Amino acid sequence: MNALDEITESFSRLPGIGKKSAARIANHLLKADPIFMDRFARQIATLQQKIHPCSICGSWTESETCPICSDMNRDRSLLCVVEQPQDVSTIENSNEYKGLFHVLGGVISPLDGVGPDQLRIKSLVERVREGEIREVIIATNPTVEGDTTALYIQHVLSQTESLSGCTVTRLASGLPVGGDLEYIDKVTLARSFRGRIKI
């Protein structure tokens, strides 16, 4: 295996990149500007040294706390619980949510050996115990594992003393905007019927 095959293999291990895409990227890099390549290589080499989880929410940051946790203008009564750090960016880009975040670091998945203790659920309970949070919005993915994690969090928070003033909600799921009923899967359609709203 030569150097081109090795880098192609490495790129193909990244999420969403198949063998063909990996080969295109590798061939593109061979023709790229050497200055860009040097900067790109340094960025990759130092990425894990510069970026780490926020000490409060678990999202990616270069400082001790992320810009969201440090922003005193955020609504500190709202706490949105997500699976991964990249979910924070997705929600932030919608410009619809102005509260705080809590990153679990995954979902409960017994088949993969991931239980509640491997997630940041204890620190979630501690944050809610501090008393400022009035609503916990669970924004895990609408999958079996995401639903299981959401139910577990709801159960843990409901069993925790002194949290009676905190509401636990779940993001709505159902038909996508612009979707066609003909192409909607049965599970999504069932969720849409259960989550219907008055107009």
Side-chain angles (χ1 to χ4, degrees), residues 75-92:
D75 185 346
R76 300 182 109 55
S77 69
L78 295 175
L79 186 63
C80 182
V81 180
V82 296
E83 294 180 16
Q84 301 292 348
Q86 57 266 33
D87 299 329
V88 173
S89 299
T90 301
I91 293 173
E92 277 295 283

Side-chain angles (χ1 to χ4, degrees), residues 173-175 181-182 184-195:
S173 59
L175 300 177
L181 284 178
E182 183 180 355
I184 303 300
D185 63 274
K186 291 179 182 179
V187 174
T188 300
L189 193 56
R191 285 176 181 270
S192 299
F193 271 101
R194 288 197 299 269

